[in-house]
Amino acid sequence: EFNLNITVEDGFAPNNEETFINFRYEVDRDLLKQLTDRSSFGRLTIFDHQQHLRARILDSLDRNGPLFDMFFVFSDESIHVAANQYLFPVMLLGEDATDFTTIESRVVEDLWTQFRFQEGFAPRSVRHPDTFDFVAFNQARQDWQDENVLIALNAFEQGKSIVKHGEEEEAEEPPTSSDTKLVKA
């Protein structure tokens, strides 16, 4: 089993809960900017989130990089949390009744910095009761979640190899996201 072998000296001092809580609940504005910088015309897509997920996993494993995360753990649970987290804003907060692929980047930024939904928020199913297709929505969500699991697993395997060998290997082209196809109900 892969282990990053973080020594106690590299972690937080014992009984220092405040530092740990701040570390886990403060939004890293640089990471958020990396995500929002992927937007085109002020909009983020599922594909943008998937590419950010992949990059974030690789960055977390790079001991020499500025985004190295000494607390990075990659369990079955964390894979599925990431798979949902990286599609959550687009799927939940999107405004269109039939296109589940895109969202305004400012909405994502507000969600992560203010920890709340935008003013007047209502789910798509409430805003568009006559045209919203639950089956199409749930299928798109499941497909992207499954894709995100594969993206996360592949990135983790690549990251382990980089850490193990101490050098970057030729990166494979990331899988094409299904959100490059317009998902319409």
Side-chain angles (χ1 to χ4, degrees):
E1 188 66 30
F2 180 69
N3 185 346
L4 291 178
N5 296 320
I6 305 297
T7 64
V8 174
E9 292 79 28
D10 290 333
F12 292 130
N15 300 318
N16 192 347
E17 295 169 14
E18 182 180 338
T19 303
F20 180 79
I21 289 170
N22 286 341
F23 180 80
R24 284 297 179 212
Y25 292 101
E26 290 295 316
V27 171
D28 185 324
R29 301 242 178 211
D30 291 333
L31 286 176
L32 182 58
K33 184 170 177 1
Q34 285 179 7
L35 173 61
T36 57
D37 282 352
R38 292 177 181 275
S39 68
S40 296
F41 305 105
R43 300 198 68 82
L44 284 164
T45 66
I46 292 287
F47 183 71
D48 296 329
H49 280 81
Q50 289 172 325
Q51 293 305 298
H52 186 68
L53 166 63
R54 182 180 182 281
R56 182 64 184 111
I57 290 170
L58 291 172
D59 289 344
S60 294
L61 294 170
D62 182 0
R63 287 184 183 272
N64 299 315
L67 298 175
F68 175 67
D69 183 352
M70 70 180 76
F71 293 104
F72 187 77
V73 175
F74 208 68
S75 66
D76 188 53
E77 179 182 357
S78 61
I79 292 168
H80 290 281
V81 167
N84 279 306
Q85 179 182 8
Y86 280 83
L87 62 82
F88 169 76
V90 180
M91 293 298 293
L92 182 66
L93 300 175
E95 298 173 359
D96 195 281
T98 58
D99 180 358
F100 312 132
T101 63
T102 183
I103 188 170
E104 289 182 65
S105 56
R106 69 161 184 79
V107 173
V108 172
E109 189 170 359
D110 288 349
L111 174 67
W112 295 131
T113 58
Q114 298 174 25
F115 299 105
R116 64 179 186 82
F117 298 131
Q118 70 251 22
E119 191 67 37
F121 169 76
R124 296 173 206 250
S125 58
V126 173
R127 286 178 285 164
H128 310 285
D130 298 330
T131 55
F132 182 78
D133 185 339
F134 286 97
V135 173
F137 178 83
N138 283 326
Q139 186 62 56
R141 184 203 50 77
Q142 185 63 55
D143 291 347
W144 288 325
Q145 182 178 341
D146 292 346
E147 264 189 71
N148 285 358
V149 167
L150 292 175
I151 289 167
L153 288 170
N154 289 334
F156 188 64
E157 288 303 315
Q158 182 183 359
K160 285 192 321 186
S161 179
I162 291 168
V163 169
K164 184 176 181 180
H165 298 295
E167 58 190 33
E168 291 220 16
E169 298 176 354
E170 186 74 20
E172 293 181 30
E173 270 305 301
T176 302
S177 168
S178 61
D179 100 301
T180 58
K181 305 171 203 145
L182 285 180
V183 175
K184 297 285 182 179

